[in-house]
Amino acid sequence: MTFRTTGHDDKSVRSIVGDTLNTAATLHLDTTSNPPHLHAGGDWTLPHYGKLQNQISAMRLPPSAPVNISFAQLTALDTSGAVLLAELLGAPRARELAQDGSGLPAAWRSLLATVAQALEQTSAAPPPAQHGWISDLLARIGVAMIGLRANTVALLGFTGLTLQTLAGSLLRPSRWRVTATVAQIEQTGLDAVPIVALLTFMVGAVIAFLGATVLANFGASIYTVDLVAFSFLREFAVLLTAILMAGRTASAFTAQIGSMKANEEIDAIRALGLDPLQMLVLPRVLALLVAMPALTFIAMMSGLLGGAMVCALTLDISPTMFMTLLQQDVGIRHFWLGMCKAPLFAFVIALIGCLEGFKVSGSAQSVGQHTTSSVVQSIFLVILLDAVAALFYMEMGW
């Protein structure tokens, strides 16, 4: 379809704009003339957008005959009106009209050209590709792997910064935050003693019940003592304590530091020339390094106590006999093999909890997300490290 335009100069436009009596948007197609004549008049602005859009949708222009278009009565034009003109004429033709003049003022021609160019780019954009479920699955796996790599790099970098800050503070007693460290030891250690002791006591009783039931079929109920002792001294005590600390302490560290990040308190610490790692991270790391071995020892004793109670009630193994068998069959090295994992787990849990707190973006939703992430990451890494340690002990014959 071909359009030919008849326009007016800038002077006539100014005279029409000055006439405030004729501002209603109009669009009229005169089919009596040959060729048909299209008249656009009034204010082609946002208040008249709906009316003009309905007229353009209902209008049926001749598909092949040339049509003259006149802007002589056009009094105002904004972006919405330029979009309608581009839809009416077509983006290529609208851009041509903006370039060859068409009797429109320079500002209107520039606006029409910009809108036409934007519509051409939008229409030329390829439709979004249709992906199957396999592509979506691979995309999700790729995003997860990229996130895993980013988290690993961030954790390693944060570990280096923490160790560097710790090394720089060891020889400077003025930088030691003893009060904050003692307060964190109370929160992470003393306050966690009841839940750790109760949980490991019940798990020790369950393991003793299981051993008494299974080993009785082989006439080896007496080895229930060894089962409880080996499992708690080497694995269960430190693992259950670490999982409890991941759910209780890592989440607390993330929530505390994340709330400070959301309230811009960490920015205030930096503005005062203080180091957030030294003030917030080191006391928590050192406190958990002290509390975790102590809680692990309590967990071992509680688990053994639970097993001893079940043995006394169901297998007629007295506490004295339980202690004698424990001393004869279980070496002290199993105790140390379990205890040496406690500081490693404590360091990992504290680092992840603090790191996720520093990642909070500033909203309550972000605090919740990173708190959940710290618990999940801590439990995953604790179990992974425990499995690696078990393989190492087995290869070393310990």
Side-chain angles (χ1 to χ4, degrees):
M1 182 180 298
T2 303
F3 290 93
R4 290 192 298 271
T5 64
T6 61
H8 48 71
D9 57 12
D10 292 355
K11 182 177 179 180
S12 60
V13 170
R14 287 193 295 270
S15 64
I16 293 174
V17 172
D19 184 8
T20 61
L21 298 176
N22 187 21
T23 59
T26 59
L27 179 63
H28 175 65
L29 178 62
D30 185 5
T31 58
T32 59
S33 60
N34 189 18
H37 205 95
L38 187 63
H39 299 272
D43 291 351
W44 280 54
T45 55
L46 184 60
H48 306 107
Y49 181 86
K51 174 185 175 182
L52 290 171
Q53 189 177 37
N54 294 333
Q55 293 181 7
I56 292 174
S57 300
M59 184 173 294
R60 294 294 183 266
L61 295 178
S64 58
V67 177
N68 293 332
I69 182 168
S70 173
F71 299 118
Q73 298 179 355
L74 190 63
T75 58
L77 181 68
D78 63 2
T79 305
S80 60
V83 171
L84 291 174
L85 281 177
E87 292 178 355
L88 175 64
L89 305 176
R93 180 55 179 162
R95 185 165 52 83
E96 293 177 3
L97 291 177
Q99 292 175 353
D100 63 18
S102 68
L104 293 175
W108 292 1
R109 293 200 306 270
S110 177
L111 176 61
L112 185 59
T114 302
V115 170
Q117 182 179 4
L119 292 178
E120 283 183 331
Q121 293 176 353
T122 303
S123 61
Q130 299 296 327
H131 300 290
W133 66 270
I134 296 180
S135 300
D136 293 340
L137 178 61
L138 293 176
R140 287 178 177 269
I141 293 175
V143 172
M145 295 305 296
I146 293 174
L148 177 61
R149 177 183 178 275
N151 288 333
T152 303
V153 172
L155 180 60
L156 292 176
F158 191 72
T159 302
L161 287 175
T162 303
L163 293 176
Q164 180 184 3
T165 305
L166 178 61
S169 302
L170 288 179
L171 302 179
R172 298 180 180 180
S174 60
R175 294 187 178 183
W176 295 356
R177 298 184 57 81
V178 179
T179 303
T181 303
V182 172
Q184 291 296 331
I185 291 175
E186 179 184 2
Q187 295 176 9
T188 60
L190 294 180
D191 294 347
V193 168
I195 183 64
V196 171
L198 179 61
L199 178 65
T200 52
F201 177 85
M202 292 188 295
V203 173
V206 170
I207 292 176
F209 271 121
L210 181 63
T213 302
V214 175
L215 296 177
N217 298 328
F218 304 95
S221 299
I222 194 67
Y223 290 105
T224 302
V225 177
D226 294 25
L227 175 64
V228 174
F230 277 106
S231 60
F232 264 88
L233 292 179
R234 292 178 67 101
E235 295 292 339
F236 283 170
V238 64
L239 186 60
L240 290 174
T241 303
I243 292 175
L244 283 174
M245 290 298 99
R248 181 183 182 276
T249 305
S251 59
F253 287 173
T254 303
Q256 291 167 0
I257 297 178
S259 298
M260 296 180 67
K261 181 74 176 298
N263 294 331
E264 299 182 354
E265 295 179 31
I266 295 180
D267 295 335
I269 292 175
R270 291 194 179 98
L272 292 173
L274 302 175
D275 186 3
L277 288 177
Q278 190 173 11
M279 295 189 63
L280 303 177
V281 177
L282 288 187
R284 288 170 169 81
V285 172
L286 295 176
L288 202 57
L289 286 174
V290 173
M292 188 77 175
L295 291 174
T296 301
F297 178 78
I298 293 173
M300 290 178 179
M301 298 300 104
S302 298
L304 292 176
L305 180 61
M309 185 190 69
V310 172
C311 289
L313 295 178
T314 61
L315 301 177
D316 294 330
I317 299 177
S318 64
T320 302
M321 186 178 181
F322 185 93
M323 294 300 298
T324 301
L325 293 172
L326 183 65
Q327 185 177 6
Q328 291 177 355
D329 299 339
V330 182
I332 190 64
R333 63 186 177 90
H334 300 292
F335 168 79
W336 292 114
L337 289 176
M339 287 295 296
C340 69
K341 292 187 287 187
L344 177 61
F345 291 170
F347 187 72
V348 170
I349 291 170
L351 282 183
I352 292 177
C354 295
L355 175 60
E356 290 298 316
F358 281 105
K359 289 182 180 180
V360 172
S361 60
S363 63
Q365 182 180 3
S366 179
V367 173
Q369 291 175 348
H370 287 286
T371 300
T372 303
S373 177
S374 68
V375 174
V376 173
Q377 291 184 44
S378 300
I379 293 176
F380 173 78
L381 281 181
V382 162
I383 295 176
L384 178 62
L385 292 174
D386 186 72
V388 173
L391 292 175
F392 178 74
Y393 292 165
M394 183 180 65
E395 292 296 328
M396 295 299 294
W398 295 345

